[in-house]
């Protein structure tokens, strides 16, 4: 089963005995599901899954019992401040760092197993990509293929996918920062992976470069690829990702579809009318609680579908409505709600 040992307390792959915590039956059930996933029997197989994933560096707890599930075909934004444990988690998923305890799987394969690193499973760009500046973009990718023992049949496809076909034979030393970032993504795409892991793919990009990466990731999702990316650019994450997870102090504090986390069902609405005091009473009679703002406008919470009824009620009461402006909660606002020290249990 891809090197997964389903004993609860065991000599693990890194030579240390780890008690992974949780009921033994729960872990055995999880192991059985992994077996079904690899056999292709589970229709709901996760692209990425972790169970009590933990990493300590001496006294420092970098990742604290992380339980994460990323379903297939989503673009998942991994958010958090520097030192939150995002990069460490990504490196454990890629088999670059050994967990202290817990488990992680990529499309059903244990992340510490050889199968998880086979071509076609996962591609990654962790930290800023490095290339030989005296070689062309195409030559760099072909060299990577030779070093990894894989064929170079997909190199031209990957270059086209990231929009570098026209400069594929130009030396990388002549590339802009954005072009090198896209070349790094191309390198991750060459093995035609099912899962793509990108650490800060939009770092240092100008607005045009940001849009190119956004369009690229949207296109990859449309082709069924699963993408896990980390970023500090919250607006771009909100524009790009279907799901997000917020990580603080080594723990996942919130995760889910972007719309659900931001509360798409209700928005804050700013209403300008000629008689705010009267409007408060009119709206209260219709079950809406409006509060006066300092500039004379009103604010209230309402579903978008209810806004026409709000305006109709005000107009029927003889009030003049100058503007109705809904304000959708942003990912930045959600992030700042959690941007505080997280107590450890």
């Amino acid at each position: 089963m891809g090197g997964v040992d389903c004993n609860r307390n065991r000599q693990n792959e890194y030579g240390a005995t780890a008690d992974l915590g949780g009921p033994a039956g729960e872990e055995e059930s999880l192991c059985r599901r992994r077996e079904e996933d690899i056999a292709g029997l589970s229709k709901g197989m996760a692209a990425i899954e972790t169970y009590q994933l933990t990493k300590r560096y001496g006294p420092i707890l970098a990742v604290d019992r992380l339980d994460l599930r990323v379903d297939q075909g989503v673009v998942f934004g991994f958010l958090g401040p520097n030192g939150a444990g995002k990069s460490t988690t990504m490196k454990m998923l890629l088999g670059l760092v050994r967990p202290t305890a817990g488990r992680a799987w990529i499309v059903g394969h244990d992340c510490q197993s050889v199968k998880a690193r086979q071509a076609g499973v996962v591609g990654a760009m962790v930290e800023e990509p490095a290339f030989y500046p005296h070689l062309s973009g195409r030559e760099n990718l072909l060299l990577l293929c030779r070093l990894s023992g894989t064929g170079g049949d997909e190199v031209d496809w990957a270059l086209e996918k990231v929009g570098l076909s026209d400069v594929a034979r130009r030396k990388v030393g002549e590339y802009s920062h954005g072009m090198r970032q896209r070349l790094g993504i191309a390198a991750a795409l060459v093995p035609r992976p099912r899962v793509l892991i990108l650490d800060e793919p939009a770092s240092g990009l100008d607005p045009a470069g940001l849009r190119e990466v956004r369009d690229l990731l949207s296109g990859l999702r449309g082709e069924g690829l699963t993408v896990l990316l980390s970023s500090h650019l919250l607006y771009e994450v909100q524009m790009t990702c279907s799901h997000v997870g917020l990580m603080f102090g080594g723990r996942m504090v919130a995760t889910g579809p972007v719309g659900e986390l931001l509360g798409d069902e209700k928005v804050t609405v700013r209403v300008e009318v000629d008689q705010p005091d009267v409007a408060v009473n009119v709206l209260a009679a219709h079950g809406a609680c409006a509060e006066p703002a300092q500039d004379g406008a009103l604010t209230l919470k309402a579903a978008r579908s209810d806004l026409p009824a709000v305006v109709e009620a005000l107009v029927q009461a003889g009030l003049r409505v100058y503007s109705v402006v809904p304000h959708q909660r942003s990912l930045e606002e959600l992030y700042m709600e959690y941007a505080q020290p997280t107590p450890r249990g």
Side-chain angles (χ1 to χ4, degrees), residues 92-343:
M92 286 192 285
L93 291 173
L94 294 168
L96 301 175
V97 170
R98 293 177 177 179
T100 303
R103 292 204 179 99
W105 296 268
I106 299 283
V107 289
H109 299 298
D110 188 291
C111 289
Q112 294 296 312
S113 72
V114 174
K115 288 186 177 181
R117 293 186 287 277
Q118 289 178 343
V121 176
V122 62
M125 183 180 74
V126 180
E127 300 176 347
E128 187 172 349
F131 297 102
Y132 290 105
H134 62 283
L135 297 179
S136 70
R138 189 173 188 275
E139 289 170 338
N140 268 281
L141 295 191
L142 289 171
L143 179 60
L144 287 173
C145 289
R146 287 198 293 270
L147 291 174
S148 63
T150 60
D153 297 340
E154 306 296 342
V155 165
D156 292 330
W157 167 83
L159 288 167
E160 180 180 0
K161 182 63 67 175
V162 301
L164 292 178
S165 293
D166 292 342
V167 294
R169 300 184 185 279
R170 186 188 302 178
K171 291 182 179 179
V172 169
E174 301 173 5
Y175 280 16
S176 67
H177 176 74
M179 293 164 67
R180 288 195 297 274
Q181 287 290 102
R182 282 188 282 154
L183 187 61
I185 297 175
L189 287 173
V190 166
R192 289 274 192 166
R194 297 174 63 182
V195 176
L196 190 62
I197 296 178
L198 304 174
D199 192 7
E200 297 284 350
S203 175
L205 298 184
D206 59 20
L210 290 173
R211 181 164 186 172
E212 289 172 351
V213 171
R214 186 195 315 151
D215 292 344
L216 169 63
L217 296 179
S218 177
L220 293 173
R221 182 191 177 196
E223 296 176 8
L225 193 69
T226 303
V227 182
L228 173 68
L229 65 89
S230 69
S231 179
H232 293 294
L233 303 176
L234 300 182
Y235 175 75
E236 281 301 313
V237 170
Q238 187 169 343
M239 293 281 288
T240 304
C241 297
S242 57
H243 295 65
V244 295
L246 274 64
M247 196 169 188
F248 286 85
R251 289 183 175 180
M252 189 71 75
V253 298
T255 183
V258 174
E260 290 184 10
L261 290 176
L262 298 184
D264 271 352
E265 293 184 0
K266 286 197 173 184
V267 295
T268 300
V269 184
R270 174 186 167 84
V271 181
E272 288 186 279
V273 294
D274 59 346
Q275 301 179 63
D277 293 340
V278 175
V280 169
N281 294 328
V282 171
L283 293 173
H286 286 78
C289 180
E291 298 180 357
Q294 292 182 350
D295 59 0
L298 302 176
T299 60
L300 67 147
K301 287 277 190 180
R304 286 184 179 272
S305 59
D306 292 338
L307 294 185
V310 168
V311 174
E312 183 179 3
L314 294 172
V315 172
Q316 287 182 349
L319 301 176
R320 292 183 177 181
V321 180
Y322 299 123
S323 68
V324 178
V325 182
H327 170 69
Q328 177 62 57
R329 188 184 186 202
S330 70
L331 193 54
E332 180 179 0
E333 290 170 321
L334 176 68
Y335 180 95
M336 293 309 297
E337 291 175 11
Y338 287 97
Q340 52 188 342
T342 303

Side-chain angles (χ1 to χ4, degrees), residues 52-83:
Q52 297 287 289
L53 193 63
T54 302
K55 180 61 183 179
R56 283 187 177 274
Y57 293 100
I60 299 174
L61 185 57
V63 178
D64 186 5
R65 296 167 290 174
L66 177 64
D67 291 329
L68 173 67
R69 179 184 172 94
V70 179
D71 290 325
Q72 297 184 65
V74 307
V75 178
F76 189 98
F78 209 12
L79 307 178
N82 292 330

